[in-house]
Amino acid sequence: MGSRPRLVIIGAGIVGCALADELTGRGWTDVTVVDQGPLFATGGSSSHAPGLVFQTNPSKTMTEFASYTVRKYTRLRLAGRPCFDQVGGLEVATTPERWTDLHRKAGWAESWGVEGELVDTDRCLELWPMLDRRLVLGGFHVPSDGLAAALRSAEAQAGRAAERGARLLARHTVVGVEQRGGRVTGVAVETGDAKYRVIPADVVVCAAGFWGPSVGKMAGLTVPLLPLAHQYAKSGPLAVPEGPILRHQDRDLYFRGHGDRVGIGSYAHRPMPVGQHEIGPKGTVMPSVQAFTEKDFEPSWRDAVELLPALGESTCTDGINGIFSFTPDGFPLIGEAPELDGFWLAEAVWVTHSAGVAKAVAELLVDGCSSFDLHECELSRFEKVQLAPAFVEERGRRNFVEVYDVIHPLQPMESPRPMRTSPFYQRQTELGAAFLEAAGWERPHWFEANVPALEELIRRRGSDGEVPEAAAEPLVGLARRGEWARRYWSPVAAAESYLTREKVALYDMTPLKRIEVRGPGAVSFLQHLTTNNVDKKPGSVTYALLLDARGGVRSDLTVARLAEDRFQVGANGNLDLDWLTRHAPRDVRVRDITPGTCCVGVWGPLARELVQPLTDMDLSHAGFRYFTCKEGYVGHVPVIAMRVSYVGELGWELYTTADLGLKLWDTLWATGLPIAGGRAAFNSLRLEKGYRLWGVDMTPEHNPYEAGLAFAVRDDKDFLGRDALSADITRKLVPLLSAEVVMGKEPVRHAGRTVGYVTSAAYGHTIERPIAYAWLPIELTTPGTHVDISYFGRQVPAEVAAEPLFDPKMEKIRR
């Protein structure tokens, strides 16, 4: 294919034009952009998008996309006119809950490097004089937010791309994606005069917006995107002072100025999904716009007048139902199709993030990896069950409804559930499990059956005369938890943590991805792809990392060698399956075995006492060493037993087939020794031990040395990403012992300046202290260094601690 392949971009909206600009700026000049509409009002979402760019997002990546978009478009001009009006952004709170949430949002902005401030009612009125003072409690102001002129930005970027050699073809309707031997070869188009031709291509990028599912279908790819109509209208002429873009999220509304009119966007109406066949006909001026349904907008107009009383002097005019793209999780779709090499997506991207996403895709194509952390956005993140049309529609509808809601980080979607359940689900339900959801799996976070155990622990703690409440505080840490940290959590987690440390507990590890890698080339393949030495004798288990070309941590794995040519890989999710599959040579088979298997973690000092009478395996320390595995039986159930522990206690992970999972649980439970433990306890225990959670504590932004994982890197072997690694680091992930339990993503300050941000946080029930892991500059990572965590606008004292916080000599795991 060469270093500068032939590339076709489908879609000349703002994303396609931004991508053409980014690619040609990197030297890929054989670029053709095709669109079925005229240039540059092509009829997609860019043609009607109001262009508001609010940068702050709970996702660091989405914030960085938006911030890059602001920086790029602020410098962009077309025919002497600017492409970005940096009027600032203001979000107002009219309820105490929203005001609290704006404090959380201000923390995200600080963490991700966006300058913003919380402002009082008076300042809100200065910025937007039309506001009703009686309603506004305060606001969050970001001076660098503003309005992107979508069509002007698209044309300006397309012009720059054309100057470098790119071709832009209007009224070229894509009718097919040509392929041969599992690789894309071109794009079939029909022109305005009904002529048919094929444009040869080595790489095709679909940036077709809400037409993405139709184009994806031509390529044999499911694009999990739901087009939804969203209402936007303008007021009549008014005396509108120039001001920032405005959000009134308590009523699902946003506002912007249009000269002497106010533009009003609403997410308050019913979800209005639009099927591919319902989108306007090809060649129409604005197929992205449907007829305005006034009845749906009436409540929003009343709410708008309530906030901005001057609107009452006007009427609602120029309303549209404009189509936008929603995905099941609210993130864009970026990446290469899993079964068609060379076919890429840059889909479900709003104007807000357009330049950032284009840069990320260009980096992936040119460099093989991106400077952004893309794990939330990669196309292959979805499990097959999450690609079902009914799932995509239901979750897309829900994301529309919740787009402006105050969402807790642990808050799950309520439907459709349950989707994926482990074989232990029935028993967990009987034990009163409180389930949350991840990747479609029902995961117990605590068990009401353990309430008596908690009460007993409190009574025992109070035996020296303390009142029960005082005795419970060090164990439960309730007084260290604010209102937010008490949501989706229960004090029962304290009992589950304590009994794991003192006795033994069963943890359902079934939702973790399990991948079989086998074949004559399996060991060489894994040696090349992972950082550690997996070429050990069968029965070994190795902790290793997957790196990208820049040395960033793509994932962490446990690699168990079950035979000379057969490995079981414990992974983090579907992205790992996709990564392994893409890199596998012909003599290696990569297979997802998660659906047909299950796993229970048996952890605690009594784990050996529990399992040994039930099994034919020698579980003594000499007979079954740490980080080894065996195949045997537990009762009647054949298992693969791995002596690994993610809670810092003696124990095993026991794997069996899904049909025998319930039998395995019942066999272990019948001994009367264990309790059931949930994810809340698990998270507390793993943080006490310093175990990292990929995607939260470290991402491709970080290298192993920064993340404290140097022990998993063998520099005496060759592996993907090795040449990019450097042990000379400027930042580090460290534990903080704080005065209060925080949520994660909060900024960390030192000497009055922002120096880092929190990743994971929990109350350590064993050490009886709140724990927060954070990224800090290397000079501030010495144990004993004092910092502050900005938590909902308050400064929570914390200090850097030495890790691990619990059992530093590994005595409990290796007994």
Side-chain angles (χ1 to χ4, degrees), residues 253-269:
L253 295 173
Y254 64 81
F255 306 86
R256 59 155 292 185
H258 288 280
D260 63 349
R261 300 179 182 224
V262 176
I264 307 161
S266 172
Y267 292 99
H269 55 81

Side-chain angles (χ1 to χ4, degrees), residues 175-193:
V175 294
V177 176
E178 303 292 304
Q179 53 187 288
R180 183 171 57 249
R183 176 154 201 96
V184 71
T185 59
V187 174
V189 296
E190 286 184 354
T191 59
D193 54 5

Side-chain angles (χ1 to χ4, degrees), residues 14 182 217 242 247 294 379 419 560 577 595 615 718 747 771 777:
I14 194 168
K217 190 175 182 180
E242 184 176 343
R247 283 205 282 208
E294 294 184 15
L379 170 65
M419 294 282 289
L577 176 65
T615 185
D718 186 34
I771 305 166

